[in-house]
Amino acid sequence: MSRITTGQSRVTVDNWQEPANLPWSFLHMDELFANAAIRAVAKDSASPLQRAMPEDPLGLRGVVVRLPDGSDRTVEEVLAATSTDAWMVLHGNEVLVEEYFGAMSHDTRHLLMSVSKSIVSSVVGVLVAQGKIDTAQPIEHYVPELRASGYGGATVRDILDMRSGIKFSEEYLDASSEVRKLDEAVGWAPRNGGAGTLKEFLLTLEQVREHGGHFEYRSCETDVLGWLCEAASGKQFAELASEVLWSRMGARHDAFISLDAAGTGMFDGGICATLGDMVLFGGMIRDGGVSLNDERILESDWVDDIFTGGPDSATAFAAGDHAEEMPGGKYRSQFWFLSDDADTAYCLGIHGQMVYINRRSGVVGVKFSSTALPVDPAAGPAAAAMFEAISRRLTP
């Protein structure tokens, strides 16, 4: 599929990830790729979000942010410098600021990239509570096809925490990396030999070290979790996610997930959703698994475990590649902790997607972006610092 964009050349599967095309591509994934809807509640139901009147009553756009390089910028300046498409701040149930740029609006669904991972893990959490998944079991207990792959013997918990022994490069700018081969398998890039579907690709991955070792960020882990959800529930992921998560948390708009040639979801980064619905998701995690419309979605012990981490989560993270840039951090159940602050979790996606969740201050921040670089060394830390500064402003 393709589309002509205003003032630009035709956007296709070949060029949709080129920097100049990202602001359009991220808002039109349903026109580029096959997808399945993750259904929301009826639109005439009451929203649990309360909008502040007037907008930005506390002047959050003017809050001063101390950046990692020691310089100071206002929130407004950070937003302008980091290719922001939309952002929102929730405190309690009140939306304090909500802003859209370019073609974005309140009902536009933006590509979440790897923020999708936290949604997938939340569906896993529901199935654990239902007794359909035991995180201590090896993955082949639920997906027998993976027994003969590199994933054989890896537990569900190993995969949730990205601690399997699978060989997988997440180098986005390396055309020969596994993450780019994954793109080819799901149809996000022209196929150059190799696997033609996501599941075929996962079966080719090799084990190179013991499962359960140090943390290593790899998108393939989430794709295995998506496969697990479908195997354990007997339902396609989009239907399942709607039933156990999206419709129950009060989402106002259908989300959707990109599909490969076999109809399998692009679990690790292919979900698209509106800004407001992602704030609802963040609020549910902040509030211990209870949605803003008072529905229990996740068990409190599952959410508490995300924030607390496992007994060796910090050690496993410290032994990985992100320890220097995130000292004291950890990774648990597809959520990031960028420091030793155990009350602040992040859902992160390339090109500047972020959900900030601070259960101490009660602040949830969501930022959609279209930065040129997949991992921008300045924009990502600036966005995190921005939400931290806002959180400090709102902390009693």
Side-chain angles (χ1 to χ4, degrees), residues 52-76:
M53 295 298 288
E55 186 185 306
D56 196 11
L58 301 179
L60 298 183
R61 291 181 179 88
V63 168
V64 175
V65 181
R66 174 63 54 89
L67 299 181
D69 66 5
S71 63
D72 289 334
R73 298 288 187 274
T74 65
V75 165
E76 195 163 27

Side-chain angles (χ1 to χ4, degrees), residues 1-5 11-13 24-25 27-35 109 256 258 272:
M1 303 177 70
S2 59
R3 174 83 174 192
I4 299 292
T5 64
V11 179
T12 69
V13 65
W24 185 89
S25 300
L27 311 187
H28 297 87
M29 293 294 288
D30 54 339
E31 298 179 45
L32 289 166
F33 304 106
N35 63 87
R109 293 169 295 187
F256 64 85
S258 292
C272 299

Side-chain angles (χ1 to χ4, degrees), residues 320-338:
D321 293 339
H322 292 81
E324 185 174 349
E325 61 193 278
M326 304 174 191
K330 64 177 183 282
Y331 190 86
R332 186 67 166 177
S333 295
Q334 314 273 298
F335 288 80
W336 290 89
F337 292 80
L338 307 188

Side-chain angles (χ1 to χ4, degrees), residues 37 56 61 98 140 142 155 158 176 182-183 186 193 200 215 260 289 321 353 368 375 377 380:
D56 196 11
R61 291 181 179 88
E98 176 180 4
E140 62 264 28
Y142 304 100
T155 66
D158 291 335
S176 65
L182 191 160
D183 274 2
V186 299
E200 288 176 6
F215 164 73
D260 72 2
D321 293 339
Q353 319 323 316
F368 292 160
V375 180

Side-chain angles (χ1 to χ4, degrees), residues 347-358:
C347 317
L348 300 175
I350 59 173
H351 297 287
Q353 319 323 316
M354 178 179 289
V355 179
Y356 168 93
I357 306 164
N358 189 317

Side-chain angles (χ1 to χ4, degrees), residues 272-356:
C272 299
T274 65
L275 185 70
D277 287 342
M278 289 312 299
V279 161
L280 290 174
F281 175 78
M284 182 270 294
I285 297 297
R286 178 198 65 189
D287 295 343
V290 177
S291 68
L292 270 66
N293 58 354
D294 294 323
E295 284 250 15
R296 175 157 294 283
I297 309 297
L298 291 166
E299 293 301 312
S300 59
D301 59 353
W302 177 269
V303 180
D304 286 343
D305 179 78
I306 291 171
F307 286 91
T308 303
D312 61 347
S313 292
T315 303
F317 192 89
D321 293 339
H322 292 81
E324 185 174 349
E325 61 193 278
M326 304 174 191
K330 64 177 183 282
Y331 190 86
R332 186 67 166 177
S333 295
Q334 314 273 298
F335 288 80
W336 290 89
F337 292 80
L338 307 188
S339 70
D340 59 2
D341 178 3
D343 286 316
T344 305
Y346 293 79
C347 317
L348 300 175
I350 59 173
H351 297 287
Q353 319 323 316
M354 178 179 289
V355 179
Y356 168 93

